Amino acid sequence: PADPADLDDHVDHDPVDGAHDRADGTDALHAWVDDIAALTRPDEVVWYDGSPAETDRLTKLLVAEGKLIRLNPEWRPNSFLARTDPGDVARVEDRTFICSEDADDAGPTNNWREPEGMRAELRDVFAGSMRGRTMYVVPFSMGPLGGPLSQLGVQVTDSAYVAVSLGMMTRVSPAVVSLIEAGAPWVRTVHSVGAPLVGADGVRSEDVAWPCNETKYIVQFPETREIWSYGSGYGGNAILAKKCFALRIASVMARDEGWLAEHMLIVKVTSPEGRVFHFAAAFPSACGKTNLAMLSPSIPGWTVETVGDDIAWLRQGPDGRLRAINPEAGFFGVAPGTGEKTNATAVSTLWGNTIFTNVALRDDGDVWWEGLTDEPPAHLVDWEGKDWTPGCGRPAAHPNSRFTVSAAQCPTIADDWDAFDGVPIDAILFGGRRATNVPLVAQARDWRHGVFIGATVSSEQTAAAEGTVGELRRDPFAMLPFCGYNMADYWAHWLRVGERLGEHAPAVFQVNWFRKGDDGRFLWPGFGENARVIEWIARRVEGSAGAVSTPIGRLPVVDELDLDGLDLPEEDVAELFEVDRASWLAECDLTEEFFDRFGSRVPPALRAELASLRYHLRG
Ligand code: GTP
Ligand code: SPV
Ligand code: MN
């Protein structure tokens, strides 16, 4: 650890100038850490090694500081509750910036800022931002350490909660430092909650349970592979390995190096005959990835095992097939709606060693959230620390409350979940929340049609980001908030990857668990029953199930989707698969408007797909 007294002398680098080389060996890491400390001026610098002993020390410290509440160990051993500031509960997309040299490289769906101007702004906000706090240095690997699809990073943070969360979500290890010292490339990530305890006047103030700042910056510099995050302590804003690195920065690396960094779950599916399939699925935030990743099939003979629940890195392997890893090592999952009936696997994953954020506290020292059980307890302390009783008119848990837990603790974790070379992908699914139009399942005609489906995904907005919940918005590939470059270039990249894969390209499907009847109820029971759709997809991949062609793709032949034992009214089944030509034509007009935002960067193949869709809908 650096002696803070020495830090003042260390002004020979400017840490915000972006000039640090990513692969510069032995001294670079330490020099960078010293430079960040010289800028932010913490009381001390502590390297976090991810070990159980160090994690235990930090959680005890967080409890002592009032930043974590220890749950009753009888119900939930080694588990904690954090309550955030009510202004810091979700990703802040309007404060998320892509600072590429050229504005067009960020594209119309990202907030672009000129890099030099942003660096000057960051230099100001980070100056002294850690005064009075401890700066943690957290070296981590995304993917198995040293694996062919893996990448290294280091996060500095002035939040012990974030350091410990990173320890659960990634592979934190001193071995990462050895690899960096041996010259391996790494991504630099800097995080401050922006709440110094010592002011410029030297006066020390009291800490609060959830320090943060009203002004927030989530900044990516794609060319120099750097991340600077300020003002928030929550989720994707603060655990920089996750959305900032594994999606925004990694998508740029993937574009440059010919692979894919995606907002996708990965599952291993085994049929009753013992045939193994791997599927990857992109659904927007809070649209069912964790649930599908942990699915307990309602139909006999099928098993689904978990490889990943949020992010996939995919690359063509030596055998020509697309292989995927889950770069993470833990789950940061949505709590509300997670219960014994919907996701029993998640419920049992959370038996202990879990950090809950913004859920409700029971009188017996355990946790509760909407959907955990049918009936709420008679009294709770809600996510804001207020008394709560059923019928009081407020939710007890915040809609974006979450659990943080190690993947290894999941009872359905697949034996190949951390395979060095990843798993071979047989099918890719795109989904979203659509009350209308999009059928339960459809297969794309080919890769190019699949890319069109991915590029045109719309979904009703959820509580995972600040904004109006329920509003329908385009979320191409479920990557709208996460693509680190121009979305139209990203589509072109997907088309190129498909060309290279050729006959090895996975089949592509569109799914929608969220279609509603006129009365507003979900037409499809979802959750474990989604196994019926998974079965059809697997049967299509092996070539044993039929399909009928429609203008929007191939739908299951009647009777080939197993609906046995589901007592679904026939009208509901018909509605689940209805393709209304007029609404689809209206949707085509919106797609054209959407494409026009990207001008000439839209790949001609996608314009051709749109023209062909209109032609067939009119036919
Ligand atoms: P992020 O972590 O934000 O990327 O979200 P995610 O895609 O992993 O979403 P998750 O699986 O956590 O689901 C979010 C919400 O959707 C939860 O409240 C679930 O209960 C609900 N949900 C998931 N699957 C289904 C389904 O099949 N049907 C219905 N009706 N709701 C579902
Ligand atoms: C999402 O919003 O897609 C998440 C949660 O997975 S966060 O890590 O906060 O981005
Ligand atoms: Mn996500």
Side-chain angles (χ1 to χ4, degrees):
D3 178 350
D6 297 338
L7 296 175
D8 292 34
D9 309 330
H10 199 100
V11 288
D12 49 333
H13 289 89
D14 177 354
V16 207
D17 68 1
H20 290 277
D21 188 343
R22 289 180 64 233
D24 39 11
T26 317
D27 300 324
L29 172 58
H30 295 275
W32 176 75
V33 168
D34 289 352
D35 289 342
I36 303 297
L39 174 69
T40 59
R41 304 191 160 257
D43 275 358
E44 55 170 344
V45 176
V46 169
W47 290 66
Y48 174 56
D49 62 8
S51 64
E54 194 55 8
T55 305
D56 193 48
R57 190 181 73 80
L58 292 187
T59 51
K60 282 185 174 134
L61 180 73
L62 285 161
V63 170
E65 290 179 341
K67 291 175 177 156
L68 287 181
I69 296 166
R70 186 180 291 275
L71 299 176
N72 186 339
E74 204 177 316
W75 312 121
R76 212 64 71 164
N78 191 35
S79 297
F80 305 90
L81 169 64
R83 294 191 190 121
T84 73
D85 182 289
D88 193 22
V89 295
R91 284 182 293 100
V92 283
E93 293 178 5
D94 60 334
R95 297 299 301 168
T96 300
F97 303 97
I98 301 294
C99 300
S100 45
E101 293 295 335
D102 185 345
D104 286 341
D105 287 336
T109 55
N110 281 311
N111 299 311
W112 177 79
R113 285 287 193 84
E114 184 273 310
E116 271 324 299
M118 180 56 90
R119 287 186 192 284
E121 232 171 291
L122 289 175
R123 216 173 268 125
D124 281 351
V125 295
F126 275 90
S129 74
M130 298 189 189
R131 275 178 184 274
R133 296 194 183 277
T134 299
M135 178 175 115
Y136 298 93
V137 184
V138 192
F140 60 88
S141 175
M142 300 307 283
L145 198 75
L149 284 80
S150 301
Q151 299 282 344
L152 306 177
V154 179
Q155 177 164 346
V156 299
T157 175
D158 56 5
S159 161
Y161 163 89
V162 167
V164 170
S165 300
L166 199 53
M168 301 169 93
M169 295 303 299
T170 70
R171 292 147 172 103
V172 170
S173 160
V176 170
V177 176
S178 311
L179 287 179
I180 288 174
E181 288 177 345
W186 53 290
V187 170
R188 290 156 164 82
T189 83
V190 183
H191 172 248
S192 173
V193 293
L197 287 173
V198 176
D201 51 8
V203 176
R204 186 173 280 267
S205 52
E206 282 282 307
D207 204 357
V208 293
W210 187 270
C212 62
N213 194 302
E214 243 175 84
T215 304
K216 296 177 172 54
Y217 287 87
I218 319 295
V219 185
Q220 282 74 203
F221 293 98
E223 279 102 358
T224 52
R225 320 287 203 230
E226 280 168 276
I227 298 154
W228 291 77
S229 163
Y230 177 89
S232 168
Y234 197 54
N237 295 334
I239 302 167
L240 303 185
K242 200 169 171 58
K243 303 304 163 107
C244 302
F245 175 179
L247 291 177
R248 296 196 191 99
I249 295 294
S251 62
V252 174
M253 297 166 124
R255 175 198 64 191
D256 296 348
E257 299 166 10
W259 49 283
L260 300 167
E262 302 300 329
H263 193 202
M264 288 179 176
L265 68 95
I266 308 167
V267 281
K268 176 181 181 180
V269 175
T270 309
S271 73
E273 305 81 50
R275 177 155 175 195
V276 172
F277 306 83
H278 291 94
F279 299 161
F283 306 159
S285 300
C287 289
K289 290 183 300 302
T290 303
N291 278 268
L292 185 57
M294 299 181 183
L295 177 110
S296 318
S298 59
I299 47 175
W302 290 82
T303 53
V304 173
E305 293 164 277
T306 312
V307 176
D309 85 323
D310 196 48
I311 299 177
W313 285 353
L314 310 98
R315 193 193 287 252
Q316 189 171 25
D319 61 353
R321 300 188 64 192
L322 189 62
R323 304 191 73 92
I325 62 163
N326 168 13
E328 302 190 280
F331 308 125
F332 181 60
V334 176
T338 305
E340 214 59 66
K341 288 188 194 141
T342 54
N343 189 352
T345 307
V347 172
S348 51
T349 303
L350 307 176
W351 63 268
N353 308 316
T354 304
I355 298 178
F356 298 89
T357 305
N358 286 345
V359 302
L361 183 64
R362 292 169 52 106
D363 294 346
D364 65 0
D366 198 6
V367 283
W368 191 83
W369 52 79
E370 280 71 18
L372 176 61
T373 54
D374 287 340
E375 290 301 319
H379 176 261
L380 291 166
V381 177
D382 75 5
W383 69 276
E384 291 188 272
K386 297 181 192 149
D387 277 312
W388 185 95
T389 48
C392 73
R394 292 174 284 120
H398 187 276
N400 191 40
S401 56
R402 297 207 175 226
F403 51 80
T404 309
V405 68
S406 291
Q409 222 166 275
C410 176
T412 59
I413 200 79
D415 54 354
D416 55 5
W417 86 274
D418 57 355
F420 226 55
D421 302 317
V423 297
I425 296 297
D426 298 286
I428 292 174
L429 283 55
F430 294 113
R433 276 179 194 265
R434 288 300 304 270
T436 61
N437 279 20
V438 178
L440 180 64
V441 59
Q443 182 177 7
R445 283 182 297 277
D446 52 22
W447 183 269
R448 193 175 92 156
H449 183 221
V451 173
F452 176 78
I453 288 174
T456 54
V457 166
S458 304
S459 192
E460 290 140 26
Q461 208 179 323
T462 65
E466 298 289 349
T468 314
V469 172
E471 210 162 66
L472 192 64
R473 68 170 188 178
R474 293 282 163 172
D475 192 348
F477 286 76
M479 284 287 279
L480 178 76
F482 308 123
C483 184
Y485 62 103
N486 189 307
M487 185 60 80
D489 296 354
Y490 166 96
W491 299 334
H493 179 59
W494 262 80
L495 291 166
R496 274 195 302 275
V497 167
E499 272 162 35
R500 228 176 302 125
L501 287 167
E503 55 166 337
H504 295 296
V508 181
F509 296 81
Q510 177 165 38
V511 299
N512 178 23
W513 317 141
F514 299 95
R515 198 149 172 175
K516 289 181 175 171
D518 294 335
D519 51 1
R521 81 202 142 83
F522 288 118
L523 292 169
W524 180 248
F527 302 105
E529 304 297 358
N530 294 334
R532 297 166 189 273
V533 175
I534 293 299
E535 171 181 27
W536 184 74
I537 290 172
R539 295 305 186 204
R540 287 297 294 166
V541 168
E542 68 177 17
S544 64
V548 279
S549 279
T550 77
I552 64 155
R554 296 176 176 145
L555 304 190
V557 169
V558 181
D559 294 342
E560 287 213 40
L561 186 73
D562 174 8
L563 300 176
D564 276 2
L566 260 192
D567 97 86
L568 275 190
E570 234 165 82
E571 318 81 81
D572 283 11
V573 178
E575 218 175 320
L576 274 168
F577 285 102
E578 194 196 8
V579 179
D580 181 75
R581 287 172 188 246
S583 331
W584 271 92
L585 279 167
E587 194 140 337
C588 287
D589 294 345
L590 297 175
T591 296
E592 183 172 349
E593 275 173 35
F594 181 57
F595 280 178
D596 285 346
R597 290 181 62 194
F598 301 87
S600 60
R601 282 171 105 123
V602 177
L606 296 191
R607 295 271 188 195
E609 283 292 333
L610 177 59
S612 147
L613 174 57
R614 278 176 160 153
Y615 176 83
H616 288 104
L617 286 167
R618 288 193 185 114

